[in-house]
Amino acid sequence: MSFKLRKLEPADVPYLYQWENDASVWSDGSNHNPLSGQDLRDYVSQTTGDIYRDGQLRLIIEARTTDGSQQTEPCTIGCADLFDLDIRNRRAAIGLYIAPEYRGKGYASDVLSQLEQYAFGFLQLRVVYAVISVRNTACNALFEKSGYTPSTPLKDWTLEGDAVIWLKARR
């Protein structure tokens, strides 16, 4: 199976609606309330896809499977974000969401690697980081396996408890 990252399109609103309103992941993100379809349509129409202009970049993850000698139609499986861009210090936060039915298949690791290549190679960032709840063992394992260094434990960072900042610097 292969995947690609692409810019948001209006047809992505139903996926974003489902993912952004998944309260089970709110403790690991900055969203703490439901979003309407109109909120998301406005977001998609107003975002330029230019991280310098918007201060963030949200990309859709599309996967394709090979069925014998033919590739299947692309399937939307999640989204990847670079956000909290700090141009002066050349750093940004990184975030991933893989839809539950596609988790555990290696996508997150591959997407994270591709996002790092873009961040360090094209954008010339020095550091990318993620703030992750200590309770999210799968996500913490992903960042550890991907060569991130745990830094600064954040005591009582969220209502749910402690978090960890995972850092990766350009080599």
Side-chain angles (χ1 to χ4, degrees):
M1 192 171 282
S2 64
F3 74 94
K4 75 174 185 175
L5 299 175
R6 64 164 175 78
K7 187 177 171 178
L8 287 172
E9 298 174 357
D12 297 320
V13 168
Y15 296 109
L16 295 174
Y17 183 83
Q18 180 181 354
W19 301 334
E20 293 289 347
N21 290 313
D22 180 356
S24 71
V25 297
W26 285 356
S27 64
D28 289 314
S30 59
N31 190 25
H32 301 287
N33 57 281
L35 296 174
S36 70
Q38 188 61 50
D39 292 335
L40 294 165
R41 283 187 293 279
D42 290 347
Y43 170 73
V44 170
S45 70
Q46 293 169 8
T47 188
T48 67
D50 181 335
I51 191 169
Y52 296 112
R53 186 174 292 163
D54 298 339
Q56 69 175 29
L57 176 64
R58 171 161 284 186
L59 299 167
I60 293 296
I61 307 164
E62 279 188 351
R64 290 181 183 263
T65 57
T66 303
D67 183 21
S69 61
Q70 297 180 350
Q71 279 196 336
T72 60
E73 287 295 312
C75 179
T76 302
I77 66 164
C79 58
D81 296 290
L82 287 172
F83 60 100
D84 286 342
L85 176 67
D86 180 336
I87 295 170
R88 182 181 181 278
N89 294 301
R90 295 184 4 231
R91 67 176 176 241
I94 199 164
L96 297 175
Y97 180 89
I98 304 293
E101 61 271 26
Y102 298 102
R103 293 179 187 160
K105 300 181 187 321
Y107 288 118
S109 180
D110 291 344
V111 169
L112 185 56
S113 177
Q114 188 170 341
L115 205 53
E116 290 167 9
Q117 289 173 26
Y118 176 73
F120 293 136
F122 184 77
L123 296 176
Q124 294 293 301
L125 297 181
R126 294 183 325 94
V127 174
V128 292
Y129 67 93
V131 179
I132 303 169
S133 166
V134 296
R135 296 171 59 181
N136 190 337
T137 55
C139 198
N140 282 298
L142 166 69
F143 280 84
E144 182 175 25
K145 182 181 98 177
S146 299
Y148 284 69
T149 303
S151 180
T152 315
L154 303 168
K155 297 293 181 194
D156 294 321
W157 192 251
T158 69
L159 190 58
E160 291 80 13
D162 299 346
V164 175
I165 297 176
W166 290 90
L167 301 167
K168 191 170 205 179
R170 184 175 62 195
R171 297 176 204 162

